[in-house]
Amino acid sequence: MLETINRLILPQVSSTFAADVDGLFTFINVASAIILLGITVAIIYFSVKYKRKSEDDVTPVIRYNTTLELTWTIIPLILILIVFAWGFRGHIDMRTPPSNAYEVYVTANSFFWQFTYPNGVQTTDELYVPAGRPVKLIMQSRDVIHSFFVPDFRVKQDVLPGRYTTAWFQTLGTGEHVIFCTEYCGSGHSDMDGMVYAIEPEEFDAWLREQKELSEQELPLAVLGQNLYQQQGCAGCHSLDGNVVIGPSFQGLYMDERQGADGSSRVADEDYLRESINNPGEFITSGFNNIMPGYSYLSEDQVSAIIEFIKEQQ
Ligand code: CUA
């Protein structure tokens, strides 16, 4: 029956410690209900039994009753110690993220949540997490005090400007869970909500990669190209200052007329550069060796970005 009542009045149980929190909550409720019932019955019983029946009724003077004193001291003491030990154990659990927890940075703003993943991907008001894996949130506020609350997880933690607070959780499975800001933070407080999407770990990894690619596309092409120039190792062979390292320098390369080793010539336009990135062996400039690996695994957008970067090197 308690289960049924809990299911009616409490949010769904979706994190590893939610059930324990509910257990303590139920224990306090049931203990309080029993005490309330006992006291109410006693009051009614005594007020009937000891009602003054005649003018000569004299109230006996009772100064002390050791048994009674001990009973109503020891029983509440035991109850409170149980609540303390239970709550303390749960608190320690909630304050101690496992060392292998997946970390996400959370920035609270008036009036939205920003989530930053280890690879630099950012989302707003939507927190994606791998289901069934511990997730640690490292949180700070850009302005006033907010509070991060996911009822389904029984996780609630203040988010402060100027210092980090942390919270962690591990979902029991996949699902969608509402995030609330639960510290009044201004006129938009009630709109400051979001969603946690707990998805399969493999799905999560794929999502993260996809977001990473999207976020790269949002950079100006030439800036993205410059990043790729470093990340993909182009810098090892192609200088930007005209010096020949191993391959031709990128300086002045765009639209330059290139003499091929086979006597032909081509203008280094976009098509030429694209081909040289994907399939370098097709045209080897006179004086260079055919040693560059092909980069055909790059996306078209990445290739365009590198071309834009090369065009800037005049
Ligand atoms: Cu943020 Cu209330």
Side-chain angles (χ1 to χ4, degrees):
M1 191 188 74
L2 284 173
E3 274 291 296
T4 318
I5 295 174
N6 273 354
R7 217 164 292 143
L8 284 175
I9 63 172
L10 293 175
Q12 65 185 93
V13 171
S14 303
S15 76
T16 47
F17 37 58
D20 192 49
V21 173
D22 291 1
L24 177 55
F25 179 78
T26 308
F27 176 80
I28 294 172
N29 276 347
V30 170
S32 303
I34 291 171
I35 291 168
L36 174 70
L37 191 72
I39 291 173
T40 310
V41 168
I43 289 172
I44 295 167
Y45 173 73
F46 289 149
S47 51
V48 172
K49 181 173 182 195
Y50 297 109
K51 189 178 186 324
R52 196 178 188 196
K53 291 173 184 87
S54 69
E55 287 294 305
D56 332 316
D57 256 2
V58 182
T59 310
V61 179
I62 301 166
R63 290 223 150 78
Y64 203 80
N65 185 322
T66 309
T67 316
L68 203 57
E69 294 276 353
L70 284 176
T71 309
W72 71 41
T73 303
I74 289 171
I75 291 178
L77 180 70
I78 290 171
L79 287 175
I80 281 169
L81 285 178
I82 291 173
V83 170
F84 172 77
W86 195 337
F88 188 67
R89 204 194 53 191
H91 175 76
I92 293 293
D93 190 19
M94 283 179 160
R95 299 309 311 159
T96 317
S99 55
N100 65 342
Y102 185 80
E103 294 184 347
V104 180
Y105 279 84
V106 180
T107 308
N109 304 264
S110 298
F111 301 95
F112 60 95
W113 300 99
Q114 236 174 355
F115 304 101
T116 308
Y117 303 82
N119 69 351
V121 163
Q122 285 198 323
T123 55
T124 300
D125 285 341
E126 291 183 335
L127 171 61
Y128 286 81
V129 297
R133 292 225 309 247
V135 176
K136 178 183 175 186
L137 304 176
I138 304 165
M139 310 192 284
Q140 60 166 327
S141 168
R142 200 158 283 161
D143 35 57
V144 297
I145 299 177
H146 303 270
S147 186
F148 183 88
F149 181 34
V150 181
D152 291 353
F153 297 164
R154 314 293 187 270
V155 165
K156 185 196 256 180
Q157 174 61 51
D158 275 8
V159 183
L160 313 173
R163 60 166 288 194
Y164 288 117
T165 54
T166 60
W168 81 278
F169 59 84
Q170 180 174 348
T171 66
L172 294 177
T174 58
E176 300 179 6
H177 312 283
V178 180
I179 302 167
F180 291 108
C181 176
T182 187
E183 178 71 43
Y184 183 71
C185 52
S187 59
H189 166 68
S190 59
D191 287 329
M192 193 170 165
D193 53 3
M195 288 300 279
V196 182
Y197 297 103
I199 55 180
E200 294 294 349
E202 311 82 63
E203 207 182 320
F204 174 77
D205 291 340
W207 172 83
L208 204 57
R209 272 197 306 275
E210 191 186 319
Q211 292 303 307
K212 179 75 182 164
E213 281 165 23
L214 285 176
S215 70
E216 279 166 348
Q217 283 166 18
E218 279 161 19
L219 289 172
L221 271 186
V223 176
L224 173 56
Q226 184 168 20
N227 294 344
L228 290 165
Y229 172 74
Q230 298 296 341
Q231 291 159 8
Q232 300 293 334
C234 318
C237 297
H238 302 280
S239 77
L240 302 178
D241 58 10
N243 284 321
V244 171
V245 186
I246 293 170
S249 175
F250 283 177
Q251 191 187 50
L253 174 60
Y254 179 59
M255 292 314 269
D256 186 38
E257 187 163 345
R258 312 298 286 174
Q259 301 301 324
D262 58 1
S264 64
S265 76
R266 280 182 66 182
V267 170
D269 58 6
E270 282 86 349
D271 261 336
Y272 170 93
L273 293 174
R274 180 172 176 278
E275 185 196 77
S276 298
I277 293 167
N278 287 330
N279 219 345
E282 287 292 308
F283 183 87
I284 298 297
T285 306
S286 170
F288 293 96
N289 294 316
N290 183 8
I291 52 172
M292 175 175 157
Y295 282 80
S296 52
Y297 63 85
L298 294 175
S299 70
E300 287 299 340
D301 288 329
Q302 288 175 314
V303 171
S304 305
I306 293 172
I307 292 172
E308 278 307 304
F309 176 61
I310 291 172
K311 284 159 91 169
E312 283 192 352
Q313 313 306 314
Q314 292 307 314

